[in-house]
Structures are given as structure tokens and as C-alpha cells.
Amino acid sequence: MPVRKHSQHKQLFKNKGKDETTLRRQRVEVSVELRKAKKDEQLLKRRNISIHEKNPSLGEGREAEVIIQPSLGEILEAINGDDTQLQLLATQTTRRILSKHRDPPIDQFIELGIIPRLVEFLGRADNAALQFEAAWALTNIASGTSEHTRAVVEGGAIPAFISLLSSPHMHISEQSVWALGNIAGDGPIYRDVLIARDVIPPLLALVSPAIPVGFLRNITWTLSNLCRNKNPCPPLDAVQKVLPVLVLLLQHEDRHVIADSCWAVSYLTDGCNDRIQVVVETGILPRLVQLMDSSDLIIVTPALRAIGNVVTGTDQQTQEAIDAGVLTVLPRLLRHSKSVIQKEAAWTLSNIAAGPSHQIQQIITCGLLPALVELLDRGDFKAQKEAVWVVANFTTGATVHQVVELVRSGVLKPLLNLLLVKDSKTILIILDTISNLFLAAEKLGKTEKLCLLVEELDGLEKIEDLQNHENDMVYRAALDIIQKYFSDEENLSLEPQTGQDGLYDFSVEKQDFNF
């Protein structure tokens, strides 16, 4: 098989016992389109932007007051002073500035040196208003770059925020959850610092039926950030604490709670097979498959990602996903209105197609081939590339009977048409797939008829043209097919016949290979 790895990826395929380079590809960070900097699905960090000035730290009516904004020097003087009322007003002003600006001046406030003082205010249990304003300001500082987050952490905020998770004031507790979510979202280092500080038990203790849904959304998002990132993955004992709660949250009625719970599960399955198994054993796969079939894109996206990660695992883990019904949902997702969902669905199917022949048979039985052919024919090119992998993996592990079913589905025409693309890697995969088709034809003694079908579909001309391709591997692969199957040694006088459905008749009866 000429192409089965990206050199920049540590492991793109899993070992199926067929080939050392293997077939089942794992999602890698550099190719994840659904988590781009655009961040329209799940944000790493969130800034608490104040739309209305009404907030619980000020009391009723205070939002209507006109406040003249002091200078940074005056803010510093007031925060460092002893006047409690001035401390509150200066902290509140800091929070306002960090909340309302499109590009908040976080660096200026860090340079003022007020972070340690704001952290100190978090411990002022006698002044809930000051605690809240300080927590909000620090949350927004931590929502910036890694440097900004580090300033908050080095100011000693982590233990103070964890302590405030148990605050008797719900709005302070919620603001602390938000701040901790921003810190966890910075990456695996601070995520693991938080876990080591035992953030998970008090965070999970906040989840209850009585909690307002807005608060629950923040908790779920923070939990997802504690599940996020690999190299290293989150500690296993932490995962085992969080998973039962995620299972419950996936049953919630709020779409945002469900979506962030799905993202959390998708992060936990984005790793080694042992990590996938921990998730599989919760019994949550049927619910994830159900959510894949949602009409809500913010739910479909992470649910599909989670199941897609599961099927990068072992054959048994893949079978668990099949048993949960993934193959009944994938046809609709391959035809989804969003090309990025089509691409993700095809990636998922390609990993199932890398399985043993009995799983390939389930792909056929569940009616995936027509949707696959449609995607190859009319899909976005990124989705088409994933669909090419489906066919390639299918032809590698399928029986000859199953290969016949594939060809009868009409896959050959769009596959051959894709030989015109500029992407050398895709061309190589297609040429490799064509070779696999000929191997099946040889076993059935029908090589000549497959040659005729390829010619009828203008494939021979395309393969011949690839002998002039600038990529040497493409040239050699094309030349190999021409020399093996299209030399002039034999007179290919037979014509392919069509069946009642208008497709070329490519079927097996008692090991006969008929067009």
C-alpha cells in the first residue's frame, strides 16, 4: 500500500493485523477543522461581558448611577488603600473596563500589579460584593492569552477560586467556576494543576437538579476543559470521577449542556484504546448515537466527533458503536447540508471500513454505499478525500463478494473522476484502490471485464495521463496498473452489460464475476 501515513503524525492508523502501516486513522490536532481559531463550536476561554450594569454585588438601583471612570493610577491607589468602599469601586471599574472593551487592556492592568491584591479580595468573606467583582475581573484577565492566564495563576488565584466554589453566594460560586474554566482551558499544564488541587469534587458537588441552567452550563463547560487536551491526557482517576456526571448531563434538556458534555466525551475518547474503553464501559454510546441524529448542529458536531474517536479503537470498540446504531445514522450525515459534517461522517465511516469483513458487511447491509457514492460524486473535496479513504479501506479488508457489491453500487465512476484532482496523495490512494479491485477480479477470473468497465468509464485514459504526472510515485503506480492489466497481450473484445437498474452488472454467483 503506497500511502498509509502522514509523516508528521505519530500514528495515523491502527494495527489491524493486516499491515504494519494499518488502516484506522486517529484524529490529530493539526487537522481538526471543527476546533479552529474561529472557535464557533466550543470556546477554550470565555470573557464575562457585562451587557447590563445590574449585578448582585451592587444592590438594587445602583446600576443607574453615572460613574466617572478614574485613571489607572487612581484605580491602583484605591485598590491598594484601606477604604473598603473605594476598593469596591476601583475593582468594579477594573471589571467594567475588562468586560466592555472589544480588546480589553489586560496587559495594562497586569502591569499595574493589582492581581495579588484582587486575589486577596477573593478571601474577603465579609464583603461578598468585593469578592464577586474581584472574581469577575480575574476571570476576564484569565480569558486572555496564556501569559495573561499565567499572571492570574502566579498571583495565587487557583486555591482561592477553588475555595469559593463552596461560597454561600451562588453568583460568587458561579464566577469562580467560570474563572477555573478559563484556567483549565489554557492547556494540559494548568488543567493538571487544578486537578492536583482537587478541583473536581467541589465542582461536581455543585451539579444538582435545583441549579439554574445558566450556572449548569458554566459547570459543564469547565468540566469539558478539565477533560480537554492530550500529551498528556487527563489523569485517569480524574476521568473516572467526571464520567458518571457527564453521563447524567448528556440526558439534560438544555442544548448547551448537552453540547459541552458531548465535547467533554469527545476529548476523553481522543486518545489510546484504554481511554476509549473507559468511556465505552459507561454505556453511553447509544445516547451519543442518538445525539448524532439531532437536528441541532451544536450537538451533532461533538457527538459525531466522540463516536468517530471511538471507532479509531479496537474492532470490539468499533462493534460497540455499530451495535449502538451508528451505521443507521451515518447515511443522513453523509448527506448533511454542512460539508464539514459530511467530512467528519466519512472519516468515521472510513475507520469502520478498516475493520474485519463482518463489519464491512454491516456497512453494506445498512445501506451506506449509495450515500458514499453520492459523496464521492458531488461532495466538497475535503469530504471526497475522506470518502476515498472509505473505499480504500473497504477494498483492503473486504471479501471478493463485498468488493463486487461495492463496484455494483457505482463507486468506480466517481472514483476514477477524482484521478483528475491535483492532490497527489489522493490520487495514490485511488490508484491503490483500483489495484485492490483488480486483485478481487483476478480471484474471480474476470480481470478482462473489469478492464473493459474501467475503459468504458474513461478511466484508462485518466490512468494513462498519470504516467506524465510530476509526482514520481503517481507515475509509477499508474504505470504498474497499465503494465499489469492494460497491456495489448490480450484481445479485450467483451462488452460490459448493464442490469435492470442501469448499473454495470458486477455480481457474484458461485464465484462468477459478471458485468
Side-chain angles (χ1 to χ4, degrees):
M1 309 223 168
V3 272
R4 283 289 183 263
K5 269 189 179 179
H6 289 295
S7 58
Q8 72 269 35
H9 299 163
K10 181 179 178 184
Q11 183 182 4
L12 201 58
F13 305 92
K14 79 167 191 178
N15 189 343
K16 295 292 297 168
K18 301 172 186 171
D19 185 317
E20 282 302 313
T21 55
T22 53
L23 306 171
R24 197 159 275 165
R25 297 172 293 153
Q26 289 188 317
R27 176 65 62 197
V28 290
E29 294 299 327
V30 295
S31 66
V32 174
E33 287 203 2
L34 301 184
R35 285 185 245 156
K36 276 187 170 177
K38 183 179 174 187
K39 294 178 185 173
D40 57 347
E41 256 89 32
Q42 215 228 6
L43 295 167
L44 283 164
K45 298 179 183 178
R46 293 171 172 169
R47 194 154 57 95
N48 191 352
I49 297 174
S50 114
I51 298 171
H52 304 291
E53 276 305 312
K54 186 173 183 177
N55 74 66
S57 70
L58 299 177
E60 291 300 320
R62 291 290 297 277
E63 66 272 11
E65 293 181 7
V66 177
I67 299 175
I68 299 172
Q69 183 171 307
S71 68
L72 292 181
E74 290 169 330
I75 290 173
L76 178 62
E77 183 180 351
I79 283 179
N80 285 332
D82 297 325
D83 188 315
T84 303
Q85 187 62 20
L86 289 178
Q87 288 173 349
L88 174 59
L89 290 173
T91 304
Q92 181 190 73
T93 301
T94 299
R95 180 268 299 170
R96 274 204 191 93
I97 295 170
L98 292 173
S99 300
K100 286 194 168 181
H101 286 61
R102 179 170 292 181
D103 297 308
I106 296 176
D107 288 317
Q108 292 180 40
F109 279 95
I110 291 175
E111 288 164 9
L112 274 183
I114 64 170
I115 287 180
R117 188 69 164 158
L118 293 177
V119 170
E120 184 184 323
F121 291 165
L122 295 179
R124 296 279 288 274
D126 60 327
N127 192 334
L130 186 58
Q131 278 185 313
F132 177 71
E133 292 290 353
W136 190 343
L138 288 167
T139 297
N140 286 355
I141 293 173
S143 74
T145 66
S146 289
E147 290 295 317
H148 299 152
T149 306
R150 183 190 306 158
V152 172
V153 172
E154 291 180 351
I158 286 179
F161 276 127
I162 293 176
S163 176
L164 285 178
L165 291 176
S166 306
S167 169
H169 306 286
M170 184 181 289
H171 63 288
I172 293 175
S173 177
E174 180 174 5
Q175 194 61 57
S176 301
V177 168
W178 197 327
L180 292 166
N182 280 342
I183 294 169
D186 189 69
I189 294 175
Y190 286 152
R191 175 204 68 197
D192 288 349
V193 168
L194 288 172
I195 291 172
R197 289 274 190 169
D198 219 18
V199 70
I200 290 176
L203 192 59
L204 297 181
L206 293 171
V207 178
S208 77
I211 194 171
V213 70
F215 193 177
L216 186 59
R217 288 175 183 173
N218 271 334
I219 294 170
T220 309
W221 171 73
T222 296
L223 286 172
S224 76
N225 274 353
L226 288 168
C227 296
R228 195 172 196 146
N229 291 301
K230 49 186 183 178
N231 302 319
C233 293
L236 188 57
D237 61 335
V239 171
Q240 290 169 330
K241 289 175 186 174
V242 170
L243 261 174
V245 176
L246 291 177
V247 170
L248 291 174
L249 292 173
L250 281 169
Q251 305 292 339
H252 200 273
E253 60 185 17
D254 182 73
R255 61 196 288 263
H256 296 286
V257 170
I258 294 171
D260 279 340
S261 300
C262 285
W263 278 118
V265 175
S266 78
Y267 303 146
L268 295 178
T269 52
D270 186 15
C272 63
N273 294 347
D274 290 345
R275 291 305 180 103
I276 293 173
Q277 188 60 29
V278 172
V279 173
V280 169
E281 288 174 357
T282 65
I284 201 59
L285 297 194
R287 175 59 174 162
L288 289 171
V289 169
Q290 183 183 27
L291 294 171
M292 277 172 56
D293 206 22
S294 168
S295 59
D296 194 338
L297 188 63
I298 72 164
I299 293 174
V300 173
T301 301
L304 175 56
R305 174 65 58 78
I307 290 293
N309 287 340
V310 168
V311 299
T312 66
T314 65
D315 289 343
Q316 181 53 43
Q317 289 164 346
T318 300
Q319 190 61 48
E320 295 272 3
I322 293 172
D323 293 343
V326 63
L327 292 177
T328 63
V329 178
L330 281 179
R332 288 187 288 281
L333 297 186
L334 290 171
R335 296 180 172 114
H336 199 275
S337 58
K338 295 288 185 181
S339 62
V340 71
I341 296 295
Q342 294 176 356
K343 173 179 176 286
E344 198 85 354
W347 169 69
T348 299
L349 184 58
S350 74
N351 283 325
I352 299 172
S357 60
H358 69 86
Q359 290 179 350
I360 291 174
Q361 186 57 46
Q362 289 177 282
I363 291 173
I364 297 169
T365 304
C366 289
L368 268 295
L369 296 186
L372 175 64
V373 172
E374 287 175 30
L375 191 60
L376 278 169
D377 190 32
R378 297 190 293 272
D380 171 84
F381 180 57
K382 290 179 181 178
Q384 286 177 317
K385 285 198 293 185
E386 293 295 341
V388 166
W389 274 113
V390 177
V391 180
N393 287 351
F394 188 112
T395 59
T396 301
T399 65
V400 289
H401 297 73
Q402 291 166 342
V403 172
V404 166
E405 288 291 327
L406 180 69
V407 176
R408 289 202 74 241
S409 73
V411 78
L412 200 51
K413 183 176 181 179
L415 196 66
L416 291 168
N417 287 340
L418 285 169
L419 288 173
L420 298 175
V421 302
K422 294 180 179 179
D423 184 52
S424 296
K425 180 177 177 180
T426 299
I427 294 171
L428 282 166
I429 299 167
I430 294 171
L431 292 174
D432 184 43
T433 302
I434 292 169
S435 295
N436 288 342
L437 295 177
F438 273 109
L439 289 174
E442 284 180 316
K443 290 177 182 177
L444 295 169
K446 301 298 178 181
T447 304
E448 293 179 5
K449 292 182 180 179
L450 181 56
C451 287
L452 283 169
L453 179 54
V454 170
E455 285 191 73
E456 284 286 321
L457 297 172
D458 299 322
L460 177 57
E461 182 181 350
K462 294 181 178 73
I463 297 170
E464 286 175 337
D465 287 345
L466 291 175
Q467 293 177 101
N468 300 317
H469 199 277
E470 60 185 12
N471 184 297
D472 187 61
M473 291 178 69
V474 170
Y475 154 71
R476 291 178 184 279
L479 179 63
D480 185 58
I481 291 173
I482 296 294
Q483 289 180 337
K484 278 185 180 178
Y485 305 111
F486 294 97
S487 62
D488 292 331
E489 299 170 0
E490 301 176 17
N491 179 23
L492 305 181
S493 59
L494 295 171
E495 288 295 328
Q497 315 217 342
T498 57
Q500 292 181 353
D501 54 4
L503 298 173
Y504 288 100
D505 187 10
F506 192 84
S507 61
V508 173
E509 291 181 15
K510 297 180 182 178
Q511 291 300 303
D512 192 18
F513 198 76
N514 295 321
F515 294 92

